[in-house]
Amino acid sequence: MSSMSYEPTQIFFIVLSGIILMLLMSGFIIVMVLLHRQQQLRNHQKMDSLRAEYEKTMLKVEKEIQDQTLSFIGQELHDNLGQILSLTKLTLNSPDEESFSEGKRLINHAIKEVRSLSKRLNLDWVKEVKLQDFISNELQKIEASGFCKTQFETNVEALTLDQDKKLVLIRIIQECLNNIIKHAEPSVIYISLMEKNDALSVTVKDNGKGFDAEDKSKGMGLHNLKSRIETIGGTLNLSSIIGIGTEIKLLLPFE
């Protein structure tokens, strides 16, 4: 029976090879661990950045809605409530009983208006209002002002949205309508609110002047709208033709 024997030099090279292999494996593992930790750090930094951007967006949206609400309340106090109270004063100056009854009715109406306005001083109304009701009310106000005709189409009956998402959508729709009123000169504003393929779709369209969507001087507002919808996981697409009108489509996937 024969046995295999190794020269001391061979044994040395075998041991040395084993050590080198172990060092290479150890080095590879260390490099992989370091790369993994760097990736984790980058992911944490990205998440922190996204979270900060989200919080910044929400704070800005809340402030803008509050500012717009205060502007609306100031206008209502001047144009609506002020007119009611002036009419009440004139009515109560008359001595007959019928005028007194009409004055009481006007005072009750003024109290209701004050209560309604007080509810809008904070953002609690966002929790209560349905998105479809908000859109319908905004379009009714535009049409009642005589600015232009409006159309609203929806297949949404029961819609549950996170308050922050609803807040952002409300602000984007407000901004779209403000831009139309300021610049578009349309005869019709059309909005649709649809549930499609596990997503909420909002389309805001007008038949006004349109504009060059590639014009960088008009791109900042669009960039802000895109940034906001992306913050809550949605997308925005705009198309506009000069002399034909503008269409903005928002798509927000359901969780």
Side-chain angles (χ1 to χ4, degrees):
M1 189 172 180
S2 62
S3 61
M4 184 179 292
S5 61
Y6 293 96
E7 294 292 331
T9 303
Q10 291 178 312
I11 295 173
F12 172 77
F13 279 115
I14 291 172
V15 172
L16 182 61
S17 299
I19 292 172
I20 292 173
L21 183 61
M22 287 178 63
L23 290 173
L24 288 173
M25 289 296 295
S26 299
F28 176 76
I29 292 171
I30 291 170
V31 169
M32 291 302 295
V33 168
L34 290 174
L35 288 174
H36 178 67
R37 287 183 177 177
Q38 287 179 347
Q39 184 62 42
Q40 282 185 320
L41 181 60
R42 283 194 294 267
N43 289 340
H44 282 306
Q45 290 173 338
K46 185 177 181 181
M47 289 300 296
D48 289 342
S49 175
L50 289 172
R51 192 178 296 110
E53 182 65 26
Y54 176 80
E55 291 172 355
K56 180 181 176 182
T57 297
M58 293 313 306
L59 286 172
K60 190 172 182 179
V61 166
E62 288 179 5
K63 184 180 183 303
E64 288 175 351
I65 289 183
Q66 286 171 339
D67 289 346
Q68 186 158 1
T69 298
L70 288 172
S71 176
F72 168 77
I73 288 173
Q75 187 175 347
E76 285 293 297
L77 287 172
H78 180 271
D79 298 341
N80 185 25
L81 193 59
Q83 186 178 10
I84 293 171
L85 292 175
S86 296
L87 186 58
T88 303
K89 181 181 177 181
L90 290 173
T91 303
L92 291 176
N93 281 335
S94 179
D96 61 86
E97 188 175 340
E98 185 177 340
S99 295
F100 181 73
S101 297
E102 177 64 13
K104 285 177 64 179
R105 188 192 69 79
L106 288 170
I107 289 172
N108 287 330
H109 181 43
I111 291 171
K112 288 181 181 178
E113 288 294 318
V114 170
R115 286 174 178 169
S116 175
L117 291 174
S118 68
K119 289 180 180 179
R120 295 182 66 98
L121 285 173
N122 54 47
L123 294 178
D124 288 343
W125 63 271
V126 175
K127 298 177 185 177
E128 300 170 4
V129 72
K130 295 179 180 178
L131 187 59
Q132 54 268 45
D133 291 341
F134 166 78
I135 295 171
S136 179
N137 290 336
E138 290 295 297
L139 293 179
Q140 285 175 13
K141 284 192 289 186
I142 290 173
E143 191 154 339
S145 72
F147 178 76
C148 70
K149 296 291 184 182
T150 64
Q151 297 176 5
F152 179 46
E153 182 181 4
T154 183
N155 66 356
V156 174
E157 294 181 3
L159 177 65
T160 302
L161 270 180
D162 177 87
Q163 181 182 341
D164 288 348
K165 291 183 178 180
K166 191 197 296 186
L167 198 64
V168 171
L169 284 175
I170 283 174
R171 185 59 192 139
I172 289 175
I173 292 168
Q174 283 180 331
E175 191 64 24
C176 290
L177 292 175
N178 286 341
N179 288 337
I180 291 171
I181 291 169
K182 288 178 182 177
H183 308 295
E185 299 179 10
S187 60
V188 178
I189 297 173
Y190 167 84
I191 296 182
S192 72
L193 177 68
M194 299 290 179
E195 293 185 58
K196 296 180 179 179
N197 302 323
D198 298 323
L200 183 67
S201 172
V202 182
T203 301
V204 183
K205 184 165 60 174
D206 68 76
N207 65 345
K209 295 192 300 183
F211 64 96
D212 181 4
E214 300 299 321
D215 187 348
K216 292 183 179 180
S217 65
K218 299 178 180 178
M220 182 57 68
L222 177 62
H223 174 76
N224 289 338
L225 295 182
K226 280 187 173 182
S227 175
R228 289 181 177 185
I229 193 69
E230 287 170 1
T231 300
I232 59 172
T235 58
L236 181 149
N237 289 299
L238 177 142
S239 60
S240 186
I241 302 174
I242 295 176
I244 301 296
T246 301
E247 179 178 87
I248 291 178
K249 290 185 177 182
L250 310 170
L251 193 66
L252 182 64
F254 293 125
E255 292 182 354

